[in-house]
Amino acid sequence: MTQIAIVEDEPKLASLLRDYLEADGFGTIVYDNGTQALDELKRNPPDFVLLDLMLPGTDGMTICRELRKTSNVPIIMITARVEEIDRLLGLEIGADDYICKPFSPREVIARVKTVLRRVTPVSVESVSEDDFIIDEGAAMVRVGDKECTLTSVELNLLKTLHASPGRIFNRHQLMTRIYNDNRVVSDRTIDSHVKKLRQKLEALHPGVQYIHSVYGIGYKFEKTT
Ligand code: CA
């Protein structure tokens, strides 16, 4: 799980960010003091840093500059001061992106994902019979030379499970990841989407199972024959 450090001294903003990020499948840790944050971020490097500019103790700019001396961790600065932006993104400070206050949590998540995509090297896929490819743009899944279309719920479901092979997701965790509008649906609804998705995958690759139910807990992605 991608661990995101939230360095923000306004408790309401920090918990808003934490809630949205966790609902989207990220792990979070919140620091409300700059000096403590810099210490902890060095000792315990996260995968991503959301960094407020104005903080008690060490300020966000100093933290960013210090981290950059030894680390390429993605950093998004949060600032209310538009005039600082050029400097934040410049070589001296070295942030990857910035977000202006006030912001919407959805915008923050979108930016985090964009920066993550930019910094994560694209792996070269080898072509083999076993290729399992999720084509998000076309809402399709391909296995070998066969393909089929997915509904948006099936696509989100498959993406979530496939991104963490072997990890068991309970129905609530799946629900928060597959519906973008915080809709609450029954466990039976989740089960029936999983069932349809499994039937589609089974048709693409008979005899191979990709999605497993784990009794009493939920579902996981694992290729078995
Ligand atoms: Ca602040």
Side-chain angles (χ1 to χ4, degrees), residues 8-10 52-56 101:
E8 169 63 71
D9 59 310
E10 290 169 56
D52 186 27
L53 198 59
M54 304 288 284
L55 293 163
K101 285 184 179 179

Side-chain angles (χ1 to χ4, degrees), residues 136-147:
E136 256 183 83
M140 295 186 90
V141 58
R142 295 198 182 86
V143 181
D145 56 0
K146 292 190 197 164
E147 59 185 29

Side-chain angles (χ1 to χ4, degrees), residues 35-70:
T35 310
Q36 178 216 2
L38 181 55
D39 241 31
E40 291 293 324
L41 292 172
K42 281 180 170 171
R43 197 173 15 220
N44 226 334
D47 303 308
F48 204 104
V49 183
L50 279 175
L51 186 54
D52 186 27
L53 198 59
M54 304 288 284
L55 293 163
T58 310
D59 68 272
M61 259 192 210
T62 308
I63 293 176
C64 190
R65 196 188 295 124
E66 281 299 311
L67 289 176
R68 275 290 169 268
K69 287 180 182 169
T70 56

